[in-house]
Amino acid sequence: PTLVQLTNGEQLQFDYLVVALGISRFAPIGIRSSTKSEFVAELAESYAQLESAKSVVVVGGGAVGIELAADIKCDFPHKSVTLVHSRALPLPGPFKDELRHNVVDILQNSIGVELVLGQRVIAQEPASADMADTLTDMPEHVSSTATDATLILSGGQTLHGDWVVRCLGTRDKKGIINLPSSTQEPIFGANGIRVKDTMQIDDVAYPHIYACGDICSRDTVKLAGVAMYGAYIAAINIARTISSVSNDSPTLEESPLYPSKILLLMSKKHFIMQLGDEIWEKEKTRQYVSDDMGLQGSINGLSLNKVPAAYSPFDLAPAF
């Protein structure tokens, strides 16, 4: 393949391609807007629903559900906030039960979130839109919230929420990527597009196509820093291939495997981190926590305050 087709029918030719589409979540966690004004309007709508609710139910005890429930309870301490999770402990993934028990303790005893663990939601009335449209390629356009809803749990318990939001994982982008495998192995593995250490797609038919970030299978736990470094590796390798003057294949950089990591920010006051097999002490973790919850760092990283100076090796005078 050497082209990308846009929704308007336009086709873009390419010699090299980097697939960095990420993964998707249902709205309002996933963002469907394409402009700032649309985004502000979406936030205002969700905030108005949340602000008027006396009781909130968050379904799904992964990282997003944990942080959302904690933030709501800390910002609106007089609201009833309940987190429902199907397993005995929250936070799926390659993490220690000690970490999970610490999360439970913080949510219940430090913040005041009510936990309902080990039960699934088997019915919801009225249903949120994501329950009827789970196969969409663009879940950002489908809402996972409902107002004045009643939930029936697998244990027979009934919960009511003035505002209910379902945080039940992510969706991949299989439906919009048409790359047939040249082997018995599919292009998409269980955790994303299969890639080599060089960030090239792991298929001999596609040495010119790279995948990085959340869409690739590189890491079980999807991390922003790892995604950024994967993009760096892909860019270097494309540049080396383009600038290679011989018929020999250039030596390509390889991305190392990083240990799993998670930093849970449960409001501005409560946080916990595990790196590899180590659960960090609170004071050690504090160096990665900022009062603005990382907003300014993200703005700086995206160069929204200033445009970085363009640089190319061809800007330099040749050395003789």
Side-chain angles (χ1 to χ4, degrees):
T2 57
L3 64 85
V4 173
Q5 182 165 324
L6 306 182
T7 54
N8 63 3
E10 181 183 358
Q11 294 182 342
L12 304 177
Q13 297 288 332
F14 66 83
D15 296 309
Y16 296 91
L17 175 68
V18 178
V19 181
L21 293 172
I23 47 181
S24 296
R25 299 180 186 274
F26 290 98
I29 306 302
I31 300 171
R32 65 177 178 265
S33 54
S34 56
T35 66
K36 178 181 178 180
S37 59
E38 291 174 351
F39 180 53
V40 171
E42 288 176 23
L43 282 181
E45 180 182 0
S46 295
Y47 186 81
Q49 293 176 347
L50 171 60
E51 190 176 34
S52 64
K54 293 182 179 179
S55 59
V56 175
V57 179
V58 179
V59 181
V64 172
I66 290 169
E67 293 187 337
L68 181 61
D71 287 347
I72 292 173
K73 185 61 179 178
C74 287
D75 286 351
F76 301 95
H78 300 298
K79 294 184 187 298
S80 166
V81 179
T82 303
L83 176 63
V84 180
H85 187 59
S86 60
R87 302 185 185 184
L89 289 171
L91 196 63
F95 307 111
K96 289 184 172 182
D97 279 351
E98 178 186 353
L99 182 80
R100 298 185 174 99
H101 283 294
N102 288 341
V103 169
V104 168
D105 180 61
I106 292 171
L107 289 174
Q108 284 186 321
N109 300 322
S110 298
I111 299 177
V113 174
E114 298 178 41
L115 296 183
V116 179
L117 301 175
Q119 295 198 53
R120 294 181 179 275
V121 175
I122 60 174
Q124 176 180 311
E125 182 62 38
S128 48
D130 69 312
M131 299 175 74
D133 196 6
T134 56
L135 299 179
T136 177
D137 293 330
M138 298 293 289
E140 297 90 346
H141 294 268
V142 181
S143 176
S144 63
T145 67
T147 56
D148 193 18
T150 299
L151 309 179
I152 300 176
L153 307 183
S154 55
Q157 182 180 355
T158 299
L159 288 177
H160 176 269
D162 295 329
W163 192 66
V164 173
V165 57
R166 293 159 51 88
C167 302
L168 297 177
T170 60
R171 299 292 183 272
D172 59 35
K173 302 294 180 67
K174 288 182 183 179
I176 60 176
I177 299 176
N178 183 20
L179 290 176
S181 176
S182 66
T183 69
Q184 296 298 316
E185 293 288 331
I187 294 295
F188 271 87
N191 197 36
I193 295 177
R194 295 183 299 106
V195 294
K196 303 176 183 179
D197 293 344
T198 57
M199 307 311 295
Q200 294 165 295
I201 288 182
D202 191 9
D203 191 301
V204 294
Y206 309 118
H208 61 309
I209 301 180
Y210 294 72
C212 53
D214 289 356
I215 198 170
C216 80
S217 62
R218 191 75 180 142
D219 299 277
T220 302
V221 181
K222 308 297 186 179
L223 300 171
V226 174
M228 292 168 65
Y229 193 72
Y232 167 76
I233 295 294
I236 284 181
N237 288 339
I238 291 173
R240 286 186 181 178
T241 305
I242 292 173
S243 61
S244 177
V245 294
S246 68
N247 292 326
D248 296 331
S249 299
T251 300
L252 300 182
E253 289 285 329
E254 296 185 352
S255 176
L257 286 174
Y258 293 92
S260 60
K261 181 184 82 171
I262 191 163
L263 170 60
L264 286 174
L265 301 175
M266 293 171 280
S267 78
K268 296 180 180 180
K269 296 182 179 179
H270 306 282
F271 45 85
I272 192 168
M273 178 172 173
Q274 179 177 329
L275 176 61
D277 291 329
E278 180 186 2
I279 299 174
W280 283 24
E281 296 292 336
K282 187 169 184 177
E283 290 308 310
K284 185 178 179 181
T285 305
R286 193 180 298 277
Q287 63 183 304
Y288 294 103
V289 179
S290 56
D291 290 339
D292 67 354
M293 303 182 79
L295 176 60
Q296 189 59 52
S298 298
I299 290 174
N300 295 340
L302 293 170
S303 300
L304 296 181
N305 288 332
K306 62 180 180 179
V307 178
Y311 169 76
S312 165
F314 301 105
D315 293 338
L316 302 178
F320 294 102

